[in-house]
Amino acid sequence: MKHWVLALTCFVATMSHAEPVKVGCLYPLSGSGGLYGRDSIVAMDMARDYLAKQGGYPEIEIMMADSRSKTLRSLQIARQFVEEDKVDFLCGVVSSAVALTVSDYARTSETFFIGTDHASPQLVSTHAHPYYFRVTNGVRQSMRAGAIYIREHYVPRPEPLRIGFIGPDYSYAYDAWTDLRHFLESEQVPFEITGVYWPQLFETDYGLYIRQIRQDAPDILINAHWGLDLITFVRQAKQFGLFDTVQFMNFDTGGNYETLAELGADMPQGLVLSARHHLNWPETPANIQFVTEFYDRTERYPSYAAEGAWSGILAIAEAVRAAGGTADKARIRAALEGLRLKLPEDPDGFTSFMDPKAHQMMQAQAIGRTVPNDSFLPAEMMLGDISVYLPPETWPDIKPE
């Protein structure tokens, strides 16, 4: 199985080992998720240059393979990276289902796996282990922030909120729905469920679901779609007039730039959305520099996956530097568990930090409404009226249903 080797090198005279740190990354580089992999390559190259300017970091060699978001293929790639290429770290993965399989292999092979994209809470709860660390927000953090947003903006009211939920029929959306209800209850939001809908992943016609949602008449529809599924749903729901009567919310992926850009003028105003990285928030020098540099290199704006890949390379470099090399896995684990990274997505006064028990990076969440904004064309809507939610000190543990 072929993979690419990227010459991502950061030389430092003070490191105790001469061999480069080998990192095997799995991303889709083709198909519907290919943009995420291509953006990740650019961002890792940017991270290389950033680390070189800082000084004091190890030499890093990155191998990249096209996972095609296929579970068996990804497992085969991971095995080749570890058993033949002798990598020190695995990283990447977009699909949560794929990540669970790769993480199980990382556990048995005792190889560190740095998750930079996927969001299922299972990776840092029921499937947690000493070699897995996630450096981006997970869906549980998104649902927690979403529940607080609903309480702040829709409570109190005379009657319980009527809430509907729709998401793809697999673990990612199941987890989102479980977590959302937990946090709505913990935030003491009075609500009743009007309907729960589970279309297949990669559904092309949501007409039946949209008609049923209109009939059920929720006040708020929580959506857990992403990528092309979300784009398709929004276009069809707009045609049916769903947004005229229902407040639409997507707290994990709805505000992804690639979604805003693809929808363009079709993106309705007033949808409540969030994402793991935003181009126009925070308006800090670090985020402006990240977005501008990516655009200068590619003549397009980055998807959320780019900042996740950037974070992954920085996390590996920081951990190896702190551990004095790759020989002592206990020291690397300790370094990752104590990790603090100032990332482009961090607002002023906040620094992302690793929960040492769950191995989940704790990050701020920004939720806003779509408003006209032509600063990042082809997107014609961006998020405005933003509310910011800082994470709890520790990862919230919720028992699965």
Side-chain angles (χ1 to χ4, degrees), residues 16 34 58 65 85 91 118 161 164 175 231 252 259 279 342 353 361:
S16 61
D85 299 308
C91 85
H118 46 273
L161 277 168
D175 293 333
I231 292 165
D252 196 51
T259 298
L279 304 190
K342 188 64 177 177
F353 62 94
M361 190 72 90

Side-chain angles (χ1 to χ4, degrees), residues 133-201:
F133 292 82
R134 181 159 59 201
V135 297
T136 57
N137 268 351
V139 70
R140 181 162 295 169
Q141 291 162 288
S142 301
M143 295 304 110
R144 173 184 175 272
I148 299 173
Y149 181 94
I150 290 173
R151 174 180 57 76
E152 289 183 349
H153 292 79
Y154 293 88
V155 176
R157 52 182 283 131
E159 302 292 335
L161 277 168
R162 293 171 54 80
I163 292 180
F165 180 91
I166 185 167
D169 190 9
Y170 79 114
S171 60
Y172 165 79
Y174 306 154
D175 293 333
W177 179 226
T178 297
D179 289 355
L180 178 68
R181 284 176 290 151
H182 169 86
F183 289 118
L184 286 173
E185 291 168 0
S186 67
E187 292 295 324
Q188 299 182 339
V189 175
F191 71 98
E192 59 185 46
I193 300 168
T194 61
V196 181
Y197 320 93
W198 302 109
Q200 293 298 307
L201 188 63

Side-chain angles (χ1 to χ4, degrees), residues 28 39 69 78 80 137 144 147 155 172 200 217 220 257 260 263 276 285 287 289 327 339 375 382 396:
D39 279 9
S69 293
Q80 180 177 328
N137 268 351
R144 173 184 175 272
V155 176
Y172 165 79
Q200 293 298 307
I220 296 172
Y257 174 74
L260 300 172
L263 283 166
R276 292 168 216 157
N287 196 41
Q289 170 63 28
L339 190 65
S375 298
M382 298 293 289

Side-chain angles (χ1 to χ4, degrees), residues 44-254:
M44 287 189 290
D45 197 31
M46 288 169 53
R48 177 274 315 267
D49 292 343
Y50 171 81
L51 291 168
K53 290 178 182 177
Q54 305 309 304
Y57 289 96
E59 178 185 349
I60 298 179
E61 177 183 307
I62 296 180
M63 303 176 186
M64 175 77 72
D66 184 1
S67 69
R68 302 178 191 169
S69 293
K70 302 294 185 182
T71 301
L72 181 58
R73 176 181 174 83
S74 297
L75 178 58
Q76 291 173 330
I77 292 170
R79 283 176 172 163
Q80 180 177 328
F81 277 151
V82 173
E83 297 168 18
E84 298 181 21
D85 299 308
K86 308 299 182 184
V87 299
D88 302 296
F89 294 84
L90 296 169
C91 85
V93 183
V94 171
S95 164
S96 291
V98 171
L100 286 166
T101 297
V102 174
S103 182
D104 285 344
Y105 173 71
R107 182 207 308 260
T108 59
S109 65
E110 298 185 348
T111 305
F112 288 106
F113 174 24
I114 307 301
T116 70
D117 197 327
H118 46 273
S120 171
Q122 294 180 44
L123 275 297
V124 290
S125 55
T126 55
H127 284 66
H129 62 82
Y131 293 93
Y132 175 81
F133 292 82
R134 181 159 59 201
V135 297
T136 57
N137 268 351
V139 70
R140 181 162 295 169
Q141 291 162 288
S142 301
M143 295 304 110
R144 173 184 175 272
I148 299 173
Y149 181 94
I150 290 173
R151 174 180 57 76
E152 289 183 349
H153 292 79
Y154 293 88
V155 176
R157 52 182 283 131
E159 302 292 335
L161 277 168
R162 293 171 54 80
I163 292 180
F165 180 91
I166 185 167
D169 190 9
Y170 79 114
S171 60
Y172 165 79
Y174 306 154
D175 293 333
W177 179 226
T178 297
D179 289 355
L180 178 68
R181 284 176 290 151
H182 169 86
F183 289 118
L184 286 173
E185 291 168 0
S186 67
E187 292 295 324
Q188 299 182 339
V189 175
F191 71 98
E192 59 185 46
I193 300 168
T194 61
V196 181
Y197 320 93
W198 302 109
Q200 293 298 307
L201 188 63
F202 308 131
E203 179 64 73
T204 58
D205 184 358
Y206 294 99
L208 177 65
Y209 299 98
I210 295 169
R211 286 190 289 269
Q212 186 61 53
I213 293 167
R214 292 194 63 183
Q215 182 177 325
D216 294 339
D219 300 312
I220 296 172
L221 177 68
I222 309 296
N223 178 281
H225 284 113
W226 54 276
L228 183 59
D229 284 9
L230 177 59
I231 292 165
T232 302
F233 183 88
V234 169
R235 282 188 170 136
Q236 294 178 8
K238 183 178 181 181
Q239 292 172 351
F240 277 92
L242 181 66
F243 304 130
D244 297 333
T245 59
V246 175
Q247 178 60 64
F248 180 92
M249 300 183 179
N250 184 310
F251 298 123
D252 196 51
T253 64

